Amino acid sequence: VCLLQKGGVGPSVADPLQARPVVLLSVLYRVWAKARSSFLERWIRDAGMQPLEESGASCEDLAVDLAFVLEAAGAVLGAFILTLN
């Protein structure tokens, strides 16, 4: 971690609150993520999932769809439980 002073001059030991921590870890993560993204994209495609930007559905539409699926699953599960009694 390197400290850069807010204002462009070297870091001041007297006032650490006027310094910004700079870490190269974010750069390493970006390089790693870019290298792994093709594997993830292939896995998503093979699993039959599509990226959200290609679905054309808004977040609200997806939430409603999920609610319907969960409701239907609950109804089926509820009916199954009732028939066991």
Side-chain angles (χ1 to χ4, degrees):
V1 177
C2 297
L3 295 177
L4 299 177
Q5 186 171 356
K6 298 177 184 177
V9 187
S12 171
V13 178
D15 191 7
L17 295 177
Q18 292 301 315
R20 291 187 182 99
V22 178
V23 181
L24 293 178
L25 188 58
S26 62
V27 174
L28 294 175
Y29 169 74
R30 288 181 193 163
V31 170
W32 175 83
K34 181 63 178 170
R36 297 296 299 170
S37 67
S38 62
F39 296 106
L40 180 61
E41 289 170 359
R42 188 176 320 122
W43 179 82
I44 288 172
R45 187 179 57 248
D46 293 345
M49 296 182 280
Q50 60 182 354
L52 293 178
E53 64 265 10
E54 293 180 11
S55 70
S58 69
C59 182
E60 290 84 10
D61 292 338
L62 294 172
V64 169
D65 290 345
L66 177 62
F68 283 138
V69 168
L70 293 175
E71 181 68 26
V76 170
L77 183 61
F80 180 72
I81 292 171
L82 289 177
T83 58
L84 290 177
N85 291 334

